[in-house]
Amino acid sequence: MGVLEQMLDPIPLPRTLRIRQRFDGTHIADVAGTLTQKLRHSGQLERIKKGDRVAIAVGSRGVDQLPTLVRVTVAEIRRAGGEPFIVPAMGSHGGATAEGQTQVLAQLGVTEKSVGAPIRSSMEVVTLGQLPNGLPVYADRIAAEEADAIVVINRVKPHTAFRAKYESGLLKMISIGLGKQKGAEATHQLGFGLMGENVPAMARVIMAKLPILFGVATVENAYDQVCRIEVVPAERMFDEEPQLLEEAKARMPRLLFDPIDVLVIDFIGKNISGDGMDPNITGRYPTPYAHGGPRVTKMVVCDLTRETHGNANGVGTADFTTQRLVDKMDRIATYANGLTSTVVAPTKIPTTLPNDRYAIKAAIKTANILDFTKVRLVRIKDTLHLGVIEISESLLEEARRHPDIEVLTEPRPMAFDADGNLVQDWP
């Protein structure tokens, strides 16, 4: 790396400062109480007969208050006379193994003890039919054969790879989540260009064959807090989910600077986004079927979250990364993600530098700007935390003029540890 270091050493690093981006923080303070009332007034619990075995489908995303949502749903189903149990509904996540998917739930705080119901995890599926285009439709065998009713829990939000009437939400949980690895693979088989058609089409087949009762849908605010909860009957999902999606899009956080010469992201991981970092925030999408976000010339990804267990899916959408990220990368888990989704660009390894310092210098050098000292640089912890972020000094006056930005600190040199990596002192 001696030659590369010689090329990059002269590149100046900007002074940076902390700012606070302000978004609508409206949220539900009492999630348990709100969901309890929603369930009791929905009329859906009355459809459960005494002794009914009720499968509750729970996914792998870091949904705000997920253990509470599951625990309350379990309690209310049991109160209605049902016998609830949990089935992981996360496609191929967790290494596409029953044990791995149970572990993913545990990492999210969903255990038999925390929610008060057994977890029955299996990768076995049954075939329920076929779409007109030839794609098979699968569903979790336990939910399909051993449940008298099925309930799904999920957050509704924009997808990271396509735009459609239905993106990430209850219908995706049914078609891909409950489909397990084989269902996820089938849904992705013809690519993301057709995902907007195949997700609802598969959900219709599953809902026609299985006793899907209702869904618990949440919408989160810009700070990833639950701001809306709805209990949606199965027969209303196709009508109500698009409305929830529009609200979710309107409430999404964003980077209040555009364009950005260099975007530095400290951590990516599957617990942050299915793509490691949310493309709706970065403007870097894994497919041509989605759009939005800032114009970013060069992007640096520094490290993996502990919770992602080496799955570095999404790193390939960055321009530069670090050796420590690559050393932590579980290539089997990462590549399995691409093989299942059929989108392999995000699993590639970008230009790799020894540490954060050199990765950032490389991004500045290649950002196609005349004066490196005026680089428009933005640094974030991850795409879930956009309240407090860091910007280069060249953006200070722009930040001061913005009505939704509060300047928190004076400019200061970027802080690196002895290994040349950014100091982690986020609030």
Side-chain angles (χ1 to χ4, degrees):
M1 296 299 292
V3 173
L4 296 182
E5 291 168 352
Q6 289 176 23
M7 292 177 66
L8 295 174
D9 274 335
I11 305 300
L13 290 167
R15 295 203 304 169
T16 59
L17 59 137
R18 293 281 168 89
I19 64 167
R20 176 174 287 113
Q21 300 191 125
R22 289 190 287 261
F23 306 104
D24 182 355
T26 302
H27 66 282
I28 296 173
D30 182 6
V31 169
T34 300
L35 178 55
T36 298
Q37 292 304 310
K38 290 271 187 178
L39 285 166
R40 292 183 183 181
H41 290 93
S42 67
Q44 298 308 300
L45 296 175
E46 286 77 1
R47 300 167 66 182
I48 297 173
K49 298 187 293 293
K50 184 174 177 59
D52 275 357
R53 298 163 298 177
V54 183
I56 304 173
V58 182
S60 55
R61 295 288 180 254
V63 177
D64 182 44
Q65 302 285 321
L66 181 62
T68 299
L69 295 169
V70 178
R71 174 176 54 78
V72 171
T73 304
V74 165
E76 290 304 305
I77 288 173
R78 184 169 285 121
R79 180 175 174 272
E83 298 176 2
F85 63 93
I86 309 302
V87 292
M90 56 186 74
S92 62
H93 294 178
T97 67
E99 297 79 11
Q101 296 203 342
T102 300
Q103 290 171 5
V104 169
L105 290 183
Q107 291 160 12
L108 296 172
V110 177
T111 64
E112 295 190 1
K113 182 177 181 180
S114 70
V115 302
I119 296 173
R120 303 188 59 188
S121 182
S122 169
M123 297 307 294
E124 293 182 54
V125 294
V126 295
T127 305
L128 297 181
Q130 188 179 75
L131 298 187
N133 60 16
L135 290 179
V137 180
Y138 300 102
D140 177 88
R141 182 196 64 78
I142 294 174
E145 295 182 351
E146 300 183 30
D148 301 300
I150 300 171
V151 171
V152 296
I153 299 175
N154 203 19
R155 169 185 56 200
V156 178
K157 68 174 295 185
H159 198 274
T160 59
F162 70 94
R163 293 287 174 263
K165 188 176 182 179
Y166 309 99
E167 296 182 23
S168 287
L170 299 176
L171 298 184
K172 181 171 176 280
M173 174 67 82
I174 292 168
S175 59
I176 296 179
L178 275 174
K180 313 300 282 194
Q181 192 275 334
K182 289 181 71 67
E185 190 172 61
T187 313
H188 291 85
Q189 182 72 36
L190 299 181
F192 279 95
L194 294 174
M195 192 71 76
E197 300 174 22
N198 292 332
V199 165
M202 287 186 169
R204 285 189 189 277
V205 172
I206 295 171
M207 292 167 74
K209 297 289 183 70
L210 299 185
I212 307 288
L213 196 60
F214 63 86
V216 174
T218 68
V219 173
E220 295 179 5
N221 65 18
Y223 302 100
D224 300 299
Q225 299 167 306
V226 175
C227 61
R228 182 173 178 181
I229 302 173
E230 296 295 341
V231 176
V232 186
E235 56 272 19
R236 293 287 304 163
M237 284 183 188
F238 286 90
D239 295 322
E240 295 190 21
E241 186 168 315
Q243 301 168 31
L244 298 175
L245 178 60
E246 288 305 309
E247 179 174 347
K249 288 180 177 179
R251 289 186 173 277
M252 279 201 72
R254 60 191 179 93
L255 296 172
L256 299 178
F257 300 92
D258 189 8
I260 297 171
D261 295 326
V262 174
L263 175 60
V264 180
I265 303 175
D266 286 10
F267 295 98
I268 66 169
K270 295 291 287 185
N271 61 309
I272 303 297
S273 168
D275 289 273
M277 48 191 162
D278 191 339
N280 295 295
I281 304 301
T282 66
R284 292 286 188 92
Y285 292 88
T287 76
Y289 309 112
H291 53 82
R295 292 164 291 171
V296 174
T297 304
K298 290 295 187 289
M299 187 160 69
V300 178
V301 167
C302 299
D303 205 349
L304 297 178
T305 63
R306 177 180 55 82
E307 294 85 354
T308 200
H309 296 285
N311 190 328
N313 185 52
V315 70
T317 58
D319 302 289
F320 299 97
T321 191
T322 64
Q323 189 60 51
R324 80 178 182 285
L325 184 150
V326 173
D327 290 343
K328 294 177 182 178
M329 184 175 174
D330 181 336
R331 298 197 187 194
I332 293 176
T334 304
Y335 295 161
N337 215 115
L339 292 172
T340 298
S341 70
T342 75
V343 181
V344 296
T347 65
K348 295 178 181 178
I349 299 175
T351 301
T352 304
L353 281 302
N355 53 33
D356 295 353
R357 184 193 300 274
Y358 282 113
I360 295 170
K361 282 176 173 278
I364 295 172
K365 185 182 190 304
T366 59
N368 306 124
I369 52 178
L370 285 174
D371 187 347
F372 295 144
T373 66
K374 292 183 170 57
V375 63
R376 294 172 60 87
L377 181 146
V378 174
R379 176 193 172 196
I380 62 176
K381 179 181 179 181
D382 54 54
T383 56
L384 282 181
H385 299 90
L386 299 181
V388 175
I389 66 172
E390 199 165 284
I391 62 172
S392 58
E393 191 172 12
S394 62
L395 293 171
L396 176 55
E397 290 308 313
E398 189 175 327
R400 283 175 172 158
R401 293 193 301 268
H402 200 292
D404 295 319
I405 291 178
E406 176 188 359
V407 175
L408 300 177
T409 69
E410 292 297 317
R412 61 189 180 188
M414 298 184 77
F416 297 90
D417 63 20
D419 295 320
N421 296 320
L422 289 163
V423 172
Q424 294 299 317
D425 58 350
W426 296 103

